[in-house]
C-alpha cells in the first residue's frame, strides 16, 4: 500500500492539523531527508495574517528561542525554527495523546470526571516541568527568569502512556524581555494573582 502524501512545506510534509490558537496552528508533520529519512514531529506555523506583524513574529521566535533552552521530560521539546515562503515555523516533539482540556471535556460529555489520582499525577508532572522552566539558565549561566504566563489545561499535554508535558511558551516572558507595560497576556482565569495588582508575574 502506498504511503499517504502530505502537503509539502520545505523539507517537511504536513498532515492533520492538531490545533489552532490565537497566534499559530499546529500540524502533524514529517521531516524528510537523505536515504528516505523520515522523522515524525509537530510543526507550529505562525498564522498567515500575522506574518507581517513584527510583534507577533517576535513573540513566535521568542517562543522557539526560550523553549529550546529547556530540556526536561515534562516540557515539550523544541527542535528547530525557520521560515518557508514567508511562513515562520517551529518544530517540536510529537505527543501521542491529548491536552488536559480535551481529556476533561471528553469525560464530561460521558458524565464522568478525571479521577483525583490522575489529576494529582498530572499536576505533579506539570509542576516539575514548570519548575525546570523557572530554574533554567542562559548561556551566561544566569537565570532566564522565565515565566510561562499561560499554564492552563489546553497547554498541558497527556500522552497515552501517562506522560505529562507542558507546552506553548508563545507568550512567556524572560529576563530582558521588552514586554509592554500594562499589557496582560494569557487566559483571564489562569492569570497570576499579582498581575491584578499591577505587579510583575513571578515564578
Amino acid at each position: 500500500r502506498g504511503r499517504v502524501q502530505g502537503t509539502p512545506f520545505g523539507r517537511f510534509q504536513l498532515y492533520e492539523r492538531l490545533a489552532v490558537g490565537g497566534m499559530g496552528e499546529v500540524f502533524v508533520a514529517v521531516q524528510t531527508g537523505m536515504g528516505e529519512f523520515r522523522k515524525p514531529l509537530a510543526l507550529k506555523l505562525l498564522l498567515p495574517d500575522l506574518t507581517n506583524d513584527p510583534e507577533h513574529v517576535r513573540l513566535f521566535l521568542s517562543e522557539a528561542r526560550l523553549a529550546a533552552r529547556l530540556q526536561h521530560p515534562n516540557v515539550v521539546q523544541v527542535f528547530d525554527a525557520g521560515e518557508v515562503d514567508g511562513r515562520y515555523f517551529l518544530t517540536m516533539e510529537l505527543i501521542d495523546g491529548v491536552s488536559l482540556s480535551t481529556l476533561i471535556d471528553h469525560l464530561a460529555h460521558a458524565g464522568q470526571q478525571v479521577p483525583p489520582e490522575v489529576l494529582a499525577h498530572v499536576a505533579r508532572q506539570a509542576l516539575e516541568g514548570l519548575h525546570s522552566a523557572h530554574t533554567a539558565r542562559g548561556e551566561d549561566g544566569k537565570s532566564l527568569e522565565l515565566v510561562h504566563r499561560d499554564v492552563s489545561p489546553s497547554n498541558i499535554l497527556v500522552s497515552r502512556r501517562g506522560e505529562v508535558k507542558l507546552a506553548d511558551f508563545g507568550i512567556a516572558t524572560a529576563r530582558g524581555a521588552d514586554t509592554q507595560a500594562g499589557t496582560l497576556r494569557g487566559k483571564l482565569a489562569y492569570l497570576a494573582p499579582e498581575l491584578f495588582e499591577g505587579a510583575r508575574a513571578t515564578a
Side-chain angles (χ1 to χ4, degrees), residues 143-158:
S143 171
L144 288 176
E145 300 177 16
L146 181 58
V147 180
H148 188 286
R149 298 203 295 183
D150 197 15
V151 180
S152 57
S154 61
N155 287 330
I156 297 174
L157 307 182
V158 183

Side-chain angles (χ1 to χ4, degrees), residues 89 93 105 110 173 178-179 182-183 195:
F89 73 88
E93 64 175 313
D105 290 344
T173 185
D178 55 343
T179 52
T183 299
L195 290 176

